[in-house]
Amino acid sequence: MRYWSENKEKLTCLLCSYYCKLKPNETGVCGVNKNTGNKIECLVYGHIGAMNIDPIEKKPLYHFLPTSKSLSLGTVGCNFKCSFCQNYGISQEKNIDKSKYHSPKDVVNIAKKYKCESISYTYNEPTIFYPFAKDIALEAKKHGIKNVYVSNGFESKEVIEDMVGIIDAVNIDLKCFSHKYYKNNLGGNLTQVLENLKQFKKNGIWLEITTLIVPTKNDSYEELKQIAMFIKEELDIYTPWHLSSFHPDYKDLDLTRTSIETLKMAKNIGSKCGLKYVYIGNVNFENDTLCTNCNEVLIKRNRFEVLSNNLINNRCPKCYTKIDGVYPKMKTIRKTGSAGSFYPDQKDEIIKCIDDFNSKITINGNFNVRAMIVPHAGYVYSGFTANIAYNISQYKKPKRIVVIGPSHSIYYEGASIALYDEYETPLGNITIDNEYSNKLQNKYDFLSFEDSMHLEHSTETQAPFIKHYFPNSEIVEIVYGKISYEDLSSLIDTVLEDEENFTLISTDLSHFHTQEKANKLDNICLNAIAKKDMALFDNGCEACGKVGVKALIYSAIKHDMNSKVLHYCTSYDKTNDASRVVGYTSALIGY
Ligand code: SF4
């Protein structure tokens, strides 16, 4: 936005609702914005009067990134003249110390250095240095740092509109509910502040309100009730209201501190009016956040310190009610469901298992592997067979591994792709490539995300091998239900097109036949794979993941890739029971 407009021989400042009309060389009410000839210059641009790293709770913001640090800064000057100002040392200062200059990049670098999740424009009225604050905020956004405004709420309508998408949260002082008191003792006007509060809410900027309760000035029951009712009726009952305790300062040295009884009365008024989040600030009590549904303590605080934060993904851990505010996204994890049964749940035991498999094989040959077929029974039955394929492919350094397996326990139309952040394994979590997963989901109608599908062992049994052999690769998990091999093959085609991908198709072979019959049926599957003979798959091949295997071989034919069967065994090798066996194989697809 342009921060001024032309008005005959004067320039009108558009930063706050005073709209000062300034002749050349004139400075506005705030003392820091000046008509320098053909523009209004913000004289404090780059000149910071105070800068600290504060807990965000000190702003106060209780529903915005709790426990995070906020780089807090202000300049000098203010467009108000509150006699009780608790920051008058900078707000009422007119001399600008220009000995130091901080560019927006300098400020953001400081925020990054101290791992601040937000930058707060505070201490004095930020609207009067909005050109500087905005440039910092735009730079901060590039680095994922949010922006907070702590203000008296007398912005111009132009600035409020401009803040959308730039400023993430505001805490506005609603200092009283008296037009006269605003006019004579504070500055600005109540009507405009109330309008602006509504506008912030309407514009979707996270809003919390603070009232400093000053004895004899704004602490009557009626006035506090008027504020609470305004919040309830014009904003909403979920807007946090902070009741801050006054201590004698600036020109109001003869006043007493706000009593605990007054603070409690004010809180009581807010709660009785129906406000859900009323906090007493600057003291050590009644500033916990409770669940609006079951009263569970969600965030426990001692002044600005958060003692415990029990929220889970913005929700009450007890009744799952969503709590209003802006919270960090929690990592979502694809949890293990088969550790301790299909494979060991301890890291050392898995490594021992793999070492044991490797002590019995000699690997040689050169094959540019693009995909593998691997079994998924318990490691004691099929781990050796799977490990051969992993071992032979470990020279690869794929960016991501796309593991595709059938659903064994849930009937599902189509397939589900895991949209979590991480994949848990006893060897450590694997990052899920969510961006790639989303791309695939957007491309294929048959792909959706169903949480319950991702406790599937056919894919999970691969995860410890993946973490062991490809520690730097990310993972994409697809579990399929009812789907045609042609559809699945078209997805595999897309995956194969990217050389940074490595595809795993998980399957076991025939189930619960005699050893003799299993060998016969499995031989058909092995031939179909080795010869890339699509017709053979439907000529006696039995496999729980046959759709996946057929899809891969179909893609291999389209991409002119070769196949190579590595190993075959049945559960008989482990159980010595030939009456009821399961077959396993591993195979490579590539050049
Ligand atoms: S910021 Fe407000 S007080 Fe300062 S010059 Fe602009 S309109 Fe006037």
Side-chain angles (χ1 to χ4, degrees):
M1 72 174 272
R2 196 177 178 218
Y3 302 120
W4 70 89
S5 64
E6 271 132 38
N7 189 319
K8 296 181 185 161
E9 77 281 10
K10 294 181 181 175
L11 297 179
T12 302
C13 175
L14 301 179
L15 292 183
C16 84
S17 280
Y18 279 128
Y19 292 107
C20 297
K21 292 177 180 47
L22 305 174
K23 288 187 200 161
N25 283 323
E26 265 187 350
T27 304
V29 174
C30 59
V32 299
N33 286 290
K34 181 178 181 182
N35 180 341
T36 54
N38 54 3
K39 63 173 182 177
I40 291 185
E41 193 179 330
C42 182
L43 302 176
V44 288
Y45 192 106
H47 304 300
I48 293 172
M51 180 156 56
N52 296 294
I53 293 165
D54 289 336
I56 194 73
E57 285 75 17
K58 201 172 178 181
K59 298 306 96 194
L61 284 176
Y62 280 6
H63 290 241
F64 183 83
L65 305 179
T67 74
S68 66
K69 290 186 285 186
S70 190
L71 180 67
S72 304
L73 62 94
T75 63
V76 295
C78 191
N79 52 355
F80 276 27
K81 53 180 188 316
C82 312
S83 56
F84 49 75
C85 181
Q86 319 249 301
N87 275 334
Y88 71 94
I90 55 171
S91 72
Q92 301 305 315
E93 177 60 61
K94 299 290 180 215
N95 292 321
I96 302 165
D97 179 0
K98 294 195 172 177
S99 61
K100 280 193 192 135
Y101 175 83
H102 285 87
S103 70
K105 272 193 178 156
D106 293 337
V107 175
V108 173
N109 283 338
I110 295 169
K112 279 166 64 187
K113 183 177 171 189
Y114 292 99
K115 299 192 175 2
C116 296
E117 290 179 42
S118 64
I119 297 175
S120 291
Y121 311 97
T122 178
Y123 302 139
N124 65 327
E125 175 49 48
T127 306
I128 65 168
F129 64 88
Y130 184 68
F132 183 39
K134 179 181 171 180
D135 287 352
I136 298 170
L138 289 173
E139 181 65 24
K141 288 252 160 240
K142 292 182 200 164
H143 301 270
I145 296 170
K146 295 196 184 299
N147 295 285
V148 167
Y149 221 63
V150 182
S151 162
N152 58 29
F154 199 56
E155 289 76 11
S156 66
K157 61 179 185 306
E158 291 84 355
V159 162
I160 291 184
E161 288 309 313
D162 199 62
M163 285 164 80
V164 177
I166 298 172
I167 303 297
D168 302 281
V170 293
N171 185 305
I172 302 293
D173 274 352
L174 182 49
K175 293 170 188 282
C176 65
F177 217 75
S178 157
H179 294 277
K180 198 170 148 196
Y181 194 61
Y182 260 97
K183 190 169 173 220
N184 297 336
N185 300 72
L186 308 174
N189 68 71
L190 176 62
T191 307
Q192 190 60 53
V193 173
L194 298 181
E195 271 315 302
N196 285 357
L197 283 168
K198 288 192 262 180
Q199 201 55 43
F200 280 123
K201 192 62 136 184
K202 201 170 151 200
N203 286 353
I205 295 174
W206 177 250
L207 169 67
E208 301 193 20
I209 292 174
T210 295
T211 301
L212 179 75
I213 301 186
V214 186
T216 72
K217 308 282 185 183
N218 64 354
D219 62 344
S220 72
Y221 181 92
E222 293 70 27
E223 190 161 350
L224 291 167
K225 188 170 176 190
Q226 281 177 305
I227 296 176
M229 288 306 289
F230 167 81
I231 296 172
K232 178 186 175 181
E233 289 172 357
E234 301 293 342
L235 304 173
D236 63 45
I237 56 172
Y238 302 102
T239 304
W241 186 27
H242 300 265
L243 302 159
S244 201
S245 167
F246 164 85
H247 62 85
D249 219 330
Y250 194 33
K251 295 177 182 169
D252 280 341
L253 293 171
D254 52 338
L255 296 177
T256 57
R257 283 176 175 265
T258 319
S259 70
I260 297 296
E261 290 70 33
T262 303
L263 291 165
K264 283 187 173 175
M265 173 194 74
K267 177 164 178 167
N268 213 15
I269 291 168
S271 301
K272 273 196 171 161
C273 285
L275 304 186
K276 297 294 183 187
Y277 307 116
V278 187
Y279 300 106
I280 294 180
N282 290 348
V283 285
N284 290 347
F285 66 94
E286 306 213 10
N287 54 9
D288 296 343
T289 298
L290 307 184
C291 174
T292 55
N293 180 48
C294 72
N295 265 345
E296 177 80 355
V297 176
L298 302 176
I299 302 178
K300 192 162 186 54
R301 302 183 184 84
N302 180 7
R303 287 176 72 92
F304 309 127
E305 188 192 357
V306 172
L307 301 177
S308 63
N309 178 357
N310 304 319
L311 284 171
I312 297 178
N313 278 338
N314 305 1
R315 290 179 187 274
C316 170
K318 207 165 153 193
C319 70
Y320 307 110
T321 297
K322 196 162 185 244
I323 305 304
D324 307 81
V326 178
Y327 300 95
K329 189 177 172 285
M330 304 264 291
K331 265 190 191 159
T332 52
I333 313 267
R334 193 287 196 194
K335 299 293 251 178
T336 57
S338 311
S341 54
F342 279 75
Y343 59 89
D345 57 4
Q346 298 298 315
K347 179 181 177 177
D348 293 351
E349 286 176 43
I350 292 174
I351 302 290
K352 198 164 157 254
C353 229
I354 292 174
D355 287 347
D356 185 47
F357 295 149
N358 283 334
S359 69
K360 294 172 189 151
I361 55 172
T362 310
I363 300 288
N364 51 36
N366 54 350
F367 195 77
N368 178 12
V369 189
R370 296 298 318 283
M372 307 197 300
I373 296 168
V374 277
H376 55 238
Y379 281 17
V380 289
Y381 300 108
S382 68
F384 180 80
T385 304
N387 181 67
I388 293 174
Y390 283 105
N391 189 310
I392 211 168
S393 308
Q394 65 180 310
Y395 70 91
K396 291 187 73 70
K397 305 278 179 257
K399 180 172 182 336
R400 66 186 73 82
I401 295 177
V402 180
V403 53
I404 301 172
S407 170
H408 281 79
S409 52
I410 294 173
Y411 176 83
Y412 198 69
E413 292 280 344
S416 176
I417 190 160
L419 298 180
Y420 307 94
D421 297 309
E422 292 184 357
Y423 201 112
E424 186 181 44
T425 88
L427 303 182
N429 290 1
I430 307 170
T431 302
I432 291 181
D433 191 336
N434 243 317
E435 198 182 331
Y436 191 78
S437 300
N438 272 305
K439 267 191 206 161
L440 287 179
Q441 197 198 359
N442 289 337
K443 184 164 181 182
Y444 293 100
D445 287 345
F446 59 78
L447 272 185
S448 53
F449 172 49
E450 169 52 47
D451 201 37
S452 59
M453 288 283 274
H454 297 281
L455 280 173
E456 171 55 47
H457 74 274
S458 71
T459 41
E460 184 181 321
T461 45
Q462 312 311 322
F465 282 119
I466 292 169
K467 184 69 180 171
H468 179 74
Y469 283 108
F470 308 101
N472 298 315
S473 298
E474 298 187 352
I475 191 170
V476 171
E477 181 189 49
I478 296 169
V479 180
Y480 60 87
K482 190 172 178 221
I483 189 172
S484 71
Y485 79 87
E486 291 95 337
D487 276 351
L488 197 54
S489 175
S490 78
L491 181 146
I492 293 170
D493 289 343
T494 299
V495 174
L496 287 174
E497 274 161 23
D498 187 338
E499 286 283 340
E500 292 194 299
N501 290 338
F502 189 39
T503 307
L504 304 186
I505 298 295
S506 174
T507 190
D508 288 343
L509 298 179
S510 66
H511 282 61
F512 310 137
H513 298 294
T514 62
Q515 170 77 347
E516 190 186 358
K517 188 170 179 192
N519 285 164
K520 202 172 157 194
L521 295 175
D522 293 345
N523 204 33
I524 299 170
C525 296
L526 299 182
N527 270 320
I529 295 167
K531 294 175 183 166
K532 296 187 290 175
D533 184 339
M534 295 301 292
L536 263 184
F537 281 112
D538 298 324
N539 208 8
C541 166
E542 278 186 18
C544 54
K546 190 162 92 172
V547 170
V549 177
K550 274 180 85 175
L552 178 62
I553 295 301
Y554 191 43
S555 290
I557 294 167
K558 285 183 270 180
H559 287 77
D560 204 18
M561 288 178 180
N562 299 321
S563 61
K564 187 174 183 175
V565 172
L566 292 172
H567 191 255
Y568 168 72
C569 70
T570 70
S571 53
Y572 170 78
D573 298 349
K574 181 71 189 170
T575 62
N576 277 331
D577 177 1
S579 66
R580 194 175 149 83
V581 305
V582 179
Y584 313 112
T585 190
S586 55
L588 306 180
I589 304 295
Y591 304 101

